């Protein structure tokens, strides 16, 4: 039987997983993905999985993409997070004109953009573009990106922020440049996801108008369901990484138990302990529930993107609250596995310690803030939804 493109990519990722897991400590220490691994990920098609087929990509559906990211995270969270950002590149590039989108992919589909959504810069409009100054944090994979961007508050001639789409909210636009024209500031000494190389970036330069775009309300120049409300696709991708980390923690706990480990003062080995079996069962059920809930939300959202793009926008509160619940549940699973693993879990280099640090770094992302549950509750009650967590 011939496998389709999505099944082929999933098979390739599963084949890569053991080698990827074995390199997790190396990836952490390097604080970025090794160059040979990046080459492999490009070769098997992870970078181009959301790129349109017309531009040399695979153009996977959302749900298959979630499966790919979860499988990567099950092996190594830093790799999954970095590939999440890299694979989303076409959805960001599509916020430029179609002419610029085509030019970016003229020489192949494995083009990556990194940057920061938080408006930590300022942009003053001048002839032909903007004068941009700013310093942004959390630019994942910046050393291995082809382009980098920073979101900016747009200032008027009086030096004050120009009004945005809602009262009290300033206008913002992302400013993009070739990576060689952006200064990278080494600043990635963190709890987890250490291998993502999410250093700071700084820009003090002129940015042409054609390289600016609106991240949150911009219209895609590329047709297709994968380009309907990209910010919600990004949200679902974060959830995929989280549930993959949780599934990986269950795997690690199983491996530890099967090694014959017996905790200090315990009368039996982990395998023979009813308490341990209970904890393991709870953890696996939680990981499976988080995965299934996220995947089902992905199916609903993707169907809307295909059949009724206008309806897809109304799903934003459900998508965001489902993401937050899935990440919270994944964090609970990983924490439970960490505790069940006993004293060996605290050592540097052990998989469960790394999973614990990775998931609790991911939970700090603004996209999974508890306030998204409030947005869903507001929507259910008929109140206006402002999409502020």
């Amino acid at each position: 039987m011939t496998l389709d493109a999505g099944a082929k990519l999933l098979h390739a990722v599963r084949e890569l997983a053991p080698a990827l897991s074995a390199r997790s400590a190396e990836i952490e220490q390097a604080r970025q993905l090794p160059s040979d691994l990046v080459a492999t990920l490009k070769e098997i098609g992870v970078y181009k999985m959301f790129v349109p087929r017309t531009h040399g990509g695979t153009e996977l559906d959302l749900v298959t993409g979630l499966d790919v990211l979860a499988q990567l995270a099950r092996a190594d969270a830093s790799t999954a997070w970095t590939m999440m950002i890299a694979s989303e590149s076409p959805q960001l590039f599509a916020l430029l004109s179609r002419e610029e989108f085509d030019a970016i992919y003229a020489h192949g589909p494995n083009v990556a953009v990194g940057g920061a959504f938080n408006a930590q810069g300022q942009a003053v409009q001048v002839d032909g573009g903007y004068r941009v100054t700013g310093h942004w944090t959390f630019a994942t994979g910046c050393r291995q990106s082809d382009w980098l961007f920073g979101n900016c508050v747009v200032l008027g001639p009086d030096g004050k922020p120009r009004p945005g789409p809602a009262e009290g909210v300033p206008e913002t636009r992302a400013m993009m440049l070739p990576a060689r024209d952006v200064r990278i500031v080494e600043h990635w000494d963190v709890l987890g996801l250490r291998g993502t190389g999410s250093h700071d970036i700084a820009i003090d330069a002129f940015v042409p108008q054609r390289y600016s775009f609106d991240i949150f309300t911009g219209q895609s120049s590329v047709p297709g369901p994968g380009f309907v409300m990209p910010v919600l696709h990004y949200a679902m991708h974060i959830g995929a990484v989280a549930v993959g980390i949780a599934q990986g923690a269950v795997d690690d706990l199983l491996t530890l138990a099967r090694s014959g480990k017996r905790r200090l003062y315990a009368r039996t080995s982990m395998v023979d302990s009813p308490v341990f079996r209970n904890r393991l069962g709870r953890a696996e059920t939680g990981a499976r529930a988080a995965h299934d809930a996220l995947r089902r939300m992905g199916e609903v959202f993707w169907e809307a993107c295909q059949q009724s793009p206008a309806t897809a926008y109304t799903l934003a509160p459900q998508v965001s609250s489902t993401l937050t619940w899935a990440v919270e549940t994944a964090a609970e699973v990983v924490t439970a596995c960490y505790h069940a693993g006993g004293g060996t879990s605290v050592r540097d280099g052990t998989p469960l310690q790394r999973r614990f640090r990775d998931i609790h770094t991911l939970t700090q992302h603004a996209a999974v803030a508890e306030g998204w549950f409030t947005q869903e509750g507001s929507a259910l009650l008929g109140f206006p939804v402002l999409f502020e967590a």
Side-chain angles (χ1 to χ4, degrees):
M1 183 178 71
T2 302
L3 297 177
D4 64 22
K8 286 180 180 178
L9 180 54
L10 275 168
H11 176 75
V13 167
R14 291 188 181 111
E15 289 286 303
L16 179 65
L20 186 55
S21 295
R23 300 185 71 177
S24 288
E26 174 194 351
I27 292 168
E28 267 211 333
Q29 188 172 13
R31 292 196 298 164
Q32 65 180 31
L33 304 191
S35 58
D36 67 301
L37 176 58
V38 169
T40 297
L41 291 163
K42 288 181 178 180
E43 182 181 354
I44 66 176
V46 178
Y47 270 73
K48 66 178 183 178
M49 65 180 178
F50 296 129
V51 175
R53 285 185 289 274
T54 53
H55 293 70
T58 312
E59 201 172 344
L60 292 188
D61 63 275
L62 169 64
V63 179
T64 304
L66 296 179
D67 290 342
V68 170
L69 292 172
Q71 285 295 326
L72 285 171
R74 196 167 185 168
D76 179 73
S78 287
T79 299
W81 190 269
T82 306
M83 288 303 97
M84 175 186 79
I85 300 299
S87 67
E88 292 168 350
S89 295
Q91 291 157 320
L92 281 167
F93 288 138
L95 297 175
L96 303 170
S97 70
R98 181 58 184 265
E99 181 182 12
E100 292 301 329
F101 183 90
D102 292 344
I104 285 170
Y105 285 109
H107 302 292
N110 292 322
V111 187
V113 61
F117 281 55
N118 194 7
Q120 295 174 301
Q122 295 183 334
V124 179
Q125 191 157 18
V126 296
D127 288 344
Y130 298 86
R131 180 66 200 179
V132 177
T133 56
H135 185 123
W136 294 265
T137 54
F138 306 125
T140 293
C142 54
R143 290 202 176 280
Q144 296 164 323
S145 296
D146 303 290
W147 297 81
L148 290 169
F149 74 88
N151 204 21
C152 295
V153 173
V154 180
L155 305 181
D158 58 358
K160 296 181 180 180
R162 295 201 310 212
E167 184 177 354
V169 178
E171 178 186 351
T172 61
R173 286 188 73 80
M175 304 292 160
M176 186 180 79
L177 286 171
R180 63 179 178 273
D181 297 330
V182 177
R183 184 165 62 93
I184 294 173
V185 183
E186 291 274 350
H187 193 53
W188 190 238
D189 301 298
V190 289
L191 177 69
L193 296 174
R194 293 176 179 176
T196 63
S198 302
H199 299 289
D200 295 5
I201 58 173
I203 297 175
D204 184 1
F206 169 77
V207 176
Q209 175 72 36
R210 67 181 187 276
Y211 291 156
S212 75
F213 55 91
D214 187 326
I215 291 176
F216 299 108
T217 63
Q219 297 299 306
S220 173
S221 62
V222 179
F227 298 91
V228 174
M229 205 171 185
V231 70
L232 291 185
H233 291 257
Y234 308 155
M236 300 291 289
H237 297 163
I238 292 172
V241 176
V243 299
I245 295 172
Q247 291 169 325
V250 174
D251 294 340
D252 295 338
L253 191 59
L254 274 167
T255 299
L256 187 63
R258 288 168 177 162
S259 72
K261 178 177 172 60
R262 178 184 295 193
R263 297 190 66 172
L264 185 63
Y265 308 125
R267 294 185 178 182
T268 63
S269 66
M270 282 182 167
V271 170
D272 293 324
S273 166
V275 173
F276 175 80
R277 293 179 185 179
N278 180 278
R279 290 176 177 174
L280 177 63
R282 284 179 177 272
E284 191 281 332
T285 302
R288 179 161 37 85
H291 171 270
D292 291 352
L294 184 79
R295 204 173 190 279
R296 177 55 186 155
M297 187 72 252
E299 292 170 348
V300 171
F301 179 62
W302 182 250
E303 183 178 0
C305 289
Q306 289 180 298
Q307 304 299 330
S308 178
T311 303
Y313 287 78
T314 67
L315 293 173
Q318 288 185 39
V319 170
S320 295
S321 60
T322 300
L323 163 66
T324 302
W325 180 84
V327 171
E328 286 187 357
T329 303
E332 291 169 1
V333 167
V334 177
T335 301
C337 290
Y338 173 84
H339 289 310
T344 56
S345 300
V346 306
R347 293 187 180 277
D348 287 344
T350 57
L352 278 173
Q353 192 225 51
R354 187 181 304 112
R355 305 278 190 191
F356 182 86
R357 291 187 286 103
D358 288 339
I359 195 66
H360 285 287
T361 299
L362 188 153
T363 59
Q364 299 306 101
H365 198 285
V368 300
E370 187 179 12
W372 295 115
F373 289 125
T374 305
Q375 302 305 318
E376 170 64 351
S378 296
L380 290 170
L381 291 168
F383 289 101
V385 177
L386 303 177
F387 298 107
E388 293 180 357

